[in-house]
Amino acid sequence: MISLRNVSTHFAGKRGEDGFTAVDDVCLDVPAGSIQGVIGFSGAGKSTLLRNINLLERPTSGQVVVDGVDLTALDDEGLRRERHQLGMIFQHFNLLNNRTAQENVELSLKFAGVPKRERRERAAEALEIVDLGDRARSYPAKLSGGQKQRVAIARALATKPKVLLCDEPTSALDPRTTGSVLQYLADINQQLGITTVVVTHELDVVKNIVDDVAVMEAGRIAERFAVDDLRSGAFQPTTEIGRYLLDADLHIKRVPLAERRRHVAANSTAAKELAHV
Ligand SMILES: Nc1ncnc2c1ncn2[C@@H]1O[C@H](COP(=O)(O)OP(=O)(O)OP(=O)(O)O)[C@@H](O)[C@H]1O
Ligand SMILES: [Mg+2]
């Protein structure tokens, strides 16, 4: 579903200073319907890589192919259209404070070119998915951190994306709220089959919802492994973070990807429309 081919991102330095290569020749394939984790120390290039996927940060070189479309080859109009297939959520929610939950979600639909009469209904549907139907008229200031992040998830889902990009979606939340937001992300992945990439510092996120992990170090992917292989001992990580994951107890059960895909295929037509698997 997502294929990064030799993606590099170089930030030019100011006059006289050397530039900085934040993402260095990364190749990564994320299968449809899976949840890809990206972990690594601060400054490793995780956020830049995530922003490369929807071209919020256009890579200096390499290709980004999503569902068979080379985003890096599109013109502005083509990219604008394709971007609506890529939902994104951020660490600090990025909601507009002077708009209600419903209006925040409707705004993303407006940007996606959805006609006004459809926006209200689709925003309401998206808020239902994250169980916030009853808070549609609340302003962000009146919502808890977890609720704000759920509005942000609804906003990302409203355009019916094929891909959900999450940059540290739970690091501003307390552990219990983290659990609830992770559950929503796992449920959405399972029910709608949305291919998800999660950048995180938190091992809980990796242990609970991720299928595959990519460890970033200094702009490169230092290693990759399936969380199941880590669990079974079939894979021995070589990076410091990978080894740490191995030591942390992994006891949460996940439905295998093939089973999740079957579940999606067997489910509602709306889900089929979204799944693209
Ligand atoms: N617009 C920019 N201009 C110059 N350098 C940048 C820019 N954005 C990021 N960088 C640099 O690129 C490197 C990687 O940044 P990035 O935000 O991708 O790291 P990260 O792995 O997400 O870190 P963190 O875990 O702290 O969020 C950092 O050294 C950062 O200073
Ligand atoms: Mg970051």
Side-chain angles (χ1 to χ4, degrees):
M1 168 61 79
I2 302 172
S3 181
L4 303 180
R5 300 178 187 160
N6 305 101
V7 166
S8 294
T9 301
H10 184 81
F11 294 113
K14 293 202 188 95
R15 254 168 299 145
E17 289 173 23
D18 283 343
F20 187 82
T21 301
V23 173
D24 190 3
D25 199 26
V26 165
C27 295
L28 181 70
D29 279 293
V30 183
S34 68
I35 303 188
Q36 172 73 53
V38 180
I39 63 174
F41 294 117
S42 186
K46 306 180 296 296
S47 297
T48 308
L49 185 72
L50 195 74
R51 292 158 59 83
N52 281 161
I53 298 175
N54 58 7
L55 266 60
L56 254 159
E57 188 68 60
R58 187 178 271 278
T60 329
S61 58
Q63 286 176 306
V64 178
V65 180
V66 176
D67 203 17
V69 178
D70 180 356
L71 300 186
T72 38
L74 295 175
D75 60 14
D76 286 352
E77 173 54 25
L79 181 59
R80 205 184 61 79
R81 243 179 295 121
E82 284 300 319
R83 271 225 183 96
H84 305 303
Q85 313 278 8
L86 299 139
M88 186 157 187
I89 61 175
F90 305 87
Q91 179 178 7
H92 294 294
F93 327 128
N94 286 15
L95 299 178
L96 293 175
N97 287 325
N98 59 351
R99 309 231 176 188
T100 63
Q102 168 90 19
E103 289 164 350
N104 265 283
V105 179
E106 283 184 23
L107 198 61
S108 82
L109 291 166
K110 184 177 176 183
F111 289 141
V114 174
K116 194 167 183 187
R117 56 183 187 285
E118 271 181 49
R119 284 182 219 148
R120 176 171 297 214
E121 200 180 325
R122 282 190 38 191
E125 269 171 31
L127 285 167
E128 277 310 324
I129 292 175
V130 293
D131 290 325
L132 281 178
D134 56 340
R135 305 308 300 267
R137 299 172 76 158
S138 301
Y139 285 89
K142 296 276 167 66
L143 298 172
S144 71
Q147 288 169 334
K148 278 188 252 198
Q149 193 56 299
R150 280 152 57 196
V151 174
I153 294 171
R155 180 181 56 184
L157 289 179
T159 57
K160 304 194 176 177
K162 298 176 200 164
V163 168
L164 187 58
L165 306 173
C166 314
D167 196 355
E168 302 193 34
T170 57
S171 54
L173 305 175
D174 67 55
R176 198 173 55 127
T177 314
T178 290
S180 115
V181 167
L182 290 183
Q183 191 64 59
Y184 281 104
L185 289 177
D187 289 351
I188 286 162
N189 166 260
Q190 183 163 337
Q191 284 159 20
L192 306 181
I194 297 181
T195 310
T196 305
V197 183
V198 187
V199 165
T200 186
H201 276 122
E202 295 169 287
L203 299 183
D204 265 354
V205 175
V206 175
K207 287 189 290 176
N208 285 299
I209 70 164
V210 158
D211 294 300
D212 292 287
V213 180
V215 180
M216 277 195 89
E217 279 177 2
R220 292 180 158 263
I221 292 188
E223 70 180 341
R224 290 194 66 185
F225 46 85
V227 174
D228 280 347
D229 289 344
L230 195 68
R231 270 196 192 99
S232 70
F235 180 81
Q236 292 296 320
T238 54
T239 58
E240 194 184 333
I241 292 188
R243 279 197 295 269
Y244 186 68
L245 272 174
L246 187 65
D247 293 339
D249 63 334
L250 295 164
H251 54 80
I252 306 285
K253 288 204 183 74
R254 282 277 281 149
V255 180
L257 178 57
E259 214 172 295
R260 269 182 272 156
R261 283 185 175 157
R262 276 198 297 279
H263 175 92
V264 169
N267 260 293
S268 72
T269 46
K272 274 186 200 157
E273 217 176 81
L274 280 167
H276 299 279
V277 287

